[in-house]
Amino acid sequence: MLTAEERERYARHLALPDFGEEGQLRLKNGSVLVIGAGGLGSPVCLYLAAAGIGRIGVADGDVVDLSNLQRQVIHDTPRIGMPKALSAARTMEALNPDIVVEPHVGMLTTENIDRMVENYDFVIDATDSFAAKLLINDACVRASRPLSHGAIWRYEGQTMTVAPGAACVRCLFAEEPELSAVTAGPLGATAGMLGTIQAAEAIKWISGVGQPLVNTLLRFDTLTMGFVRIHVEPSPDCPNHK
């Protein structure tokens, strides 16, 4: 049941068609793991906290650097040198003290990824490493946990929601793409756009409203504001679907 204060805080959600109190209660009782508190993770964490997701895990093994602040808007200048997971948690708790934020300081590995993923209802990949994306993807497939995949490069972004049995990240890539996040940008607002979309996918999934990007790759170009939806089927060559 929502408290009087929660009804006021989430009044705009409660007024939404097909959302209402039932949708908000599902958010309150739901949990999301955000892996990466950088360019994508910043808007993801902010909007999940603001939306009232009851329990949010933030996993990141890096510390805040001056060069991050061009796009990683959950951090600020006085926090340079602070672990990103702790910095993100501090901002989220200040935004919404009614939620539980669980910072996980440290890198995810093959030894701890399964245990981490299994503890949440929905997972968001906000990393910038292809190896990390495959690690997260495979763990979510094993645990039958829905996953929001996201990646940015220069002015471009792409995202897809991986549901149990649906197309996964390995279905998209036969081999690792040759991209460099350092030399190729990205434009800070591109990270904000994609992270917001990923947050919306998590909110939709947990609240039960709308149609998630399952078997659908969404790509956009910030320079032209062109958006493309690409239908994706599980690949017979993907080891997760054999």
Side-chain angles (χ1 to χ4, degrees), residues 45-64:
C45 288
L46 288 170
Y47 275 103
L48 293 183
I53 299 292
R55 185 167 61 90
I56 305 172
V58 185
D60 199 302
D62 202 0
V63 298
V64 179

Side-chain angles (χ1 to χ4, degrees), residues 27-28 30-32 53-57 99-102 119-120:
L27 298 188
K28 181 177 180 177
S31 61
V32 177
I53 299 292
R55 185 167 61 90
I56 305 172
I99 65 173
V100 175
V101 183
E102 300 171 338
N119 199 33
Y120 294 89

Side-chain angles (χ1 to χ4, degrees), residues 70-225:
Q70 163 257 9
R71 63 201 176 282
Q72 300 182 18
V73 294
I74 203 166
H75 313 296
D76 57 27
T77 303
R79 295 186 195 166
I80 290 174
M82 179 184 290
K84 290 182 181 179
L86 298 181
S87 173
R90 180 180 296 182
T91 303
M92 296 161 70
E93 289 166 345
L95 177 62
N96 191 345
D98 294 331
I99 65 173
V100 175
V101 183
E102 300 171 338
H104 303 283
V105 179
M107 298 298 182
L108 293 183
T109 66
T110 54
E111 286 73 33
N112 62 20
I113 184 67
D114 288 316
R115 183 174 66 257
M116 185 81 71
V117 162
E118 290 170 354
N119 199 33
Y120 294 89
D121 299 325
F122 192 96
V123 179
I124 295 182
D125 169 20
T127 67
D128 59 6
S129 160
F130 187 74
K133 293 183 182 305
L134 292 184
L135 179 72
I136 297 164
N137 174 81
D138 294 347
C140 288
V141 171
R142 287 192 297 270
S144 295
R145 290 296 188 272
L147 163 72
S148 173
H149 154 75
I152 51 176
W153 185 62
R154 293 182 177 174
Y155 303 100
E156 302 172 15
Q158 71 172 37
T159 184
M160 179 177 75
T161 295
V162 179
C168 71
V169 177
R170 286 192 184 272
C171 297
L172 296 177
F173 300 101
E175 57 185 21
E176 181 174 350
E178 296 181 4
L179 302 176
S180 171
V182 175
T183 60
L187 181 72
T190 301
M193 291 169 62
L194 184 57
T196 303
I197 293 172
Q198 289 186 275
E201 286 293 289
I203 292 168
K204 285 160 49 184
W205 185 282
I206 292 177
S207 67
V209 303
Q211 181 178 351
L213 292 168
V214 176
N215 289 332
T216 303
L217 181 67
L218 179 68
R219 285 181 170 171
F220 66 86
D221 184 333
T222 312
L223 290 182
T224 63
M225 286 302 168

